């Protein structure tokens, strides 16, 4: 919801910059991205991949198995995430 408000208020770049400064970012329940707009999934990708590029730790939780990430995001995104993230059960 915060992303959509920032987009509407034209403050998205400031919000993303703020989130990029966190020492640790926790994204809870990735499965809730399923069926979201292209804006939300693209922004999620931008956040996660920028943190990967900056070597910043990110925790992503989901009730779904890791393989289901490709159904929420592109297969290329899922491959890149699995290169850098440790998957635990």
């Amino acid at each position: 919801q915060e992303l959509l408000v920032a987009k509407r208020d034209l403050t998205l770049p400031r919000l993303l910059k703020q989130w990029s400064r966190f020492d640790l970012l926790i994204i809870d329940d990735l499965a809730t991205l399923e069926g979201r707009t292209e804006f939300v999934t693209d922004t999620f990708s931008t956040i996660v991949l920028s943190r990967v590029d900056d070597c910043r730790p990110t925790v992503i939780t989901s009730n779904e198995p890791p393989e289901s990430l490709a159904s929420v995001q592109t297969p290329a995104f899922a491959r890149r995430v699995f290169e850098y993230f440790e998957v635990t059960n």
Side-chain angles (χ1 to χ4, degrees):
Q1 191 68 21
E2 192 172 357
L3 289 174
L4 297 175
V5 170
K7 179 183 177 190
R8 181 196 67 210
D9 295 345
L10 304 175
T11 58
L12 184 60
R14 184 174 44 153
L15 178 65
L16 295 179
K17 187 173 183 179
Q18 178 186 7
W19 287 359
S20 71
R21 292 184 185 147
F22 293 140
D23 291 332
L24 173 66
L25 180 64
I26 300 173
I27 300 172
D28 187 36
D29 199 7
L30 181 65
T32 60
L33 284 179
E34 195 164 8
R36 295 293 181 171
T37 65
E38 186 176 337
F39 164 75
V40 172
T41 57
D42 287 350
T43 304
F44 171 77
S45 297
T46 300
I47 292 166
V48 171
L49 295 178
S50 70
R51 294 187 61 83
V52 165
D53 291 342
D54 293 341
C55 298
R56 294 222 178 245
T58 306
V59 174
I60 302 172
T61 68
S62 179
N63 292 333
E64 300 297 321
E67 301 77 29
S68 69
L69 180 61
S71 70
V72 178
Q73 291 290 333
T74 66
F77 173 84
R79 281 191 304 276
R80 180 135 187 243
V81 165
F82 289 131
E83 287 177 19
Y84 294 96
F85 282 71
E86 179 181 337
V87 178
T88 61
N89 292 323

